[in-house]
Amino acid sequence: MTTNSTSFLQKTALLFLIIFGLYIAKDFLIPLCIGGILATLFLPFCNWMESKKTPKSIAVFICFISLLLILFSLISLVGWKISELLNDISLIKQKAIETGTTLQRYIFNHLDISIEEQFLILKKEQPSYSNIFQIIFGSITSIFASFVLVFVYFIFLLFYRNHIKNFLLKLATPSKRDEMELVIFNATKVSQQYLVGLSKMIVLLWIMYSIGFSIIGVKNAFFFAILCGLLEIVPYVGNITGTILTVTVAAIHGANPSLLGGIIITYSIVQLIQGWVLEPLILGPQVKINPLFTIIVLVIGQLLWGIPGIILAIPLTAIFKIICDHIDFLKPYGFLIGEIETSKKKSVFVEKLKTKLKIK
């Protein structure tokens, strides 16, 4: 076996060991990664307060309170709109019963399974109430514990950030410490850029979807605008899911085909504006990962860590790309997951747009 073949097998084995380790340690890594990425978001604010002679502990505490206020505001906003939507729960329930009855008749007519037999099958498949209660209680307990860990990591990572940075610098040889510092700076910057850019993107999507859905007459337009915007956390898949839900609920409410088509047209226009204008202007080239590897990392993230893995996939991959771009033997991987040459058309378009905006 040649040296190149041996090296390839070693790298492949190492890759699988890393993936296996990520899966095994997910209960530890998920809260740590979420807390770390949120900490990078508040890093400029914390540094600014400390530059104004605010004690570090007070600055970190203010950042923590700010994070809680943002989360509480977001949960309150979504909860308020969901409570409005629940006013139509009777209609949705009626439609669900009608759909279930139609499905039962279809099964009876085509599979010759009586309605009584269908009920017996469903009864056997349904878990007991005690099992359902145990599952719900276990899930709530796990989510609460994870939230507590996220907040703990957020506080201590902000407080000990300089200590951790110095530790990472000590790992590098003296000749490589400047490059290591650059990697740390860029990795932190790309996390901030992604989170701040994503927040701006979501707000702009709320505005555009609200205007579009209101113009065409979608009921609860603001709620579905919030839903489609928030699902932008999951690229490509999230906004499509939000639009499908909007079309489905509108159809349940008896929307005509022109309204359903209007929802799809609104989605298409918003996505066109988002892809050609908002993403290049707001997110920037450092965060950009080509669509193929965006889907790949989302799938891997879901397989390894579930829903948190989907949310964390893009920022963690962007950080990984920064690391690859500064390590010689990893540079080909950074090139592989980065934007392809066709994205230059967007760059030219955005540069022209920036020039026009500056002139005005």
Side-chain angles (χ1 to χ4, degrees), residues 277-297:
V277 180
L278 298 182
E279 284 185 358
L281 281 175
I282 294 175
L283 290 181
Q286 282 186 309
V287 186
K288 295 301 292 177
I289 303 165
N290 69 63
L292 171 62
F293 275 86
T294 298
I295 299 298
I296 289 173
V297 297

Side-chain angles (χ1 to χ4, degrees), residues 29-84:
L29 290 174
I30 290 173
L32 179 62
C33 290
I34 295 175
I37 290 174
L38 289 175
T40 61
L41 178 62
F42 283 85
L43 191 56
F45 181 46
C46 194
N47 287 334
W48 177 79
M49 284 190 290
E50 291 181 23
S51 69
K52 301 297 180 182
K53 307 303 180 184
T54 305
K56 180 183 283 188
S57 56
I58 303 254
V60 171
F61 179 74
I62 292 173
C63 290
F64 174 63
I65 296 298
S66 301
L67 175 63
L68 290 180
L69 288 174
I70 292 171
L71 292 176
F72 177 76
S73 302
L74 187 60
I75 292 170
S76 299
L77 178 63
V78 175
W80 169 54
K81 298 311 296 181
I82 288 177
S83 65
E84 287 187 0

Side-chain angles (χ1 to χ4, degrees), residues 113-271:
I113 300 175
S114 67
I115 294 176
E116 291 77 11
E117 290 174 333
Q118 293 177 36
F119 275 119
L120 288 174
I121 294 171
L122 288 173
K123 190 174 181 180
K124 289 179 181 179
E125 294 296 328
Q126 287 179 347
S128 64
Y129 289 110
S130 60
N131 289 338
I132 293 173
F133 178 76
Q134 289 176 358
I135 292 170
I136 293 174
F137 181 76
S139 299
I140 292 173
T141 304
S142 176
I143 291 170
F144 178 76
S146 297
F147 266 105
V148 171
L149 280 175
V150 167
F151 294 142
V152 169
Y153 288 137
F154 173 83
I155 291 170
F156 285 108
L157 286 173
L158 268 182
F159 189 82
Y160 289 106
R161 63 187 185 276
N162 292 328
H163 189 69
I164 296 170
K165 178 183 175 181
N166 291 331
F167 163 74
L168 293 174
L169 291 175
K170 287 180 181 296
L171 291 177
T173 58
S175 60
K176 294 287 185 180
R177 282 181 183 171
D178 290 339
E179 189 171 3
M180 172 65 84
E181 190 163 7
L182 181 62
V183 171
I184 295 170
F185 173 78
N186 287 335
T188 305
K189 184 180 176 182
V190 80
S191 298
Q192 295 168 4
Q193 190 178 11
Y194 176 76
L195 290 176
V196 173
L198 184 62
S199 302
K200 292 177 181 178
M201 183 91 68
I202 288 172
V203 172
L204 290 172
L205 288 174
W206 285 351
I207 295 170
M208 289 189 293
Y209 278 122
S210 296
I211 294 172
F213 289 160
S214 299
I215 289 173
I216 63 177
V218 175
K219 192 174 182 181
N220 295 309
F222 188 53
F223 168 78
F224 290 109
I226 291 175
L227 179 66
C228 291
L230 286 177
L231 289 174
E232 180 60 27
I233 293 173
V234 184
Y236 304 111
V237 179
N239 42 36
I240 294 175
T241 304
T243 304
I244 291 173
L245 289 173
T246 307
V247 170
T248 303
V249 175
I252 289 174
H253 282 85
N256 54 50
S258 61
L259 178 57
L260 300 180
I263 294 172
I264 296 172
I265 291 172
T266 301
Y267 164 77
S268 302
I269 293 172
V270 170
Q271 288 305 301

Side-chain angles (χ1 to χ4, degrees), residues 307-322:
I307 294 176
I310 295 175
I311 297 172
L312 291 168
I314 302 302
L316 291 182
T317 305
I319 292 172
F320 177 70
K321 182 180 181 300
I322 293 292

Side-chain angles (χ1 to χ4, degrees), residues 5-21:
S5 300
T6 305
S7 177
F8 175 76
L9 290 174
Q10 289 175 344
K11 290 178 181 179
T12 304
L14 178 61
L15 177 63
F16 278 102
L17 282 174
I18 291 172
I19 293 174
F20 182 71

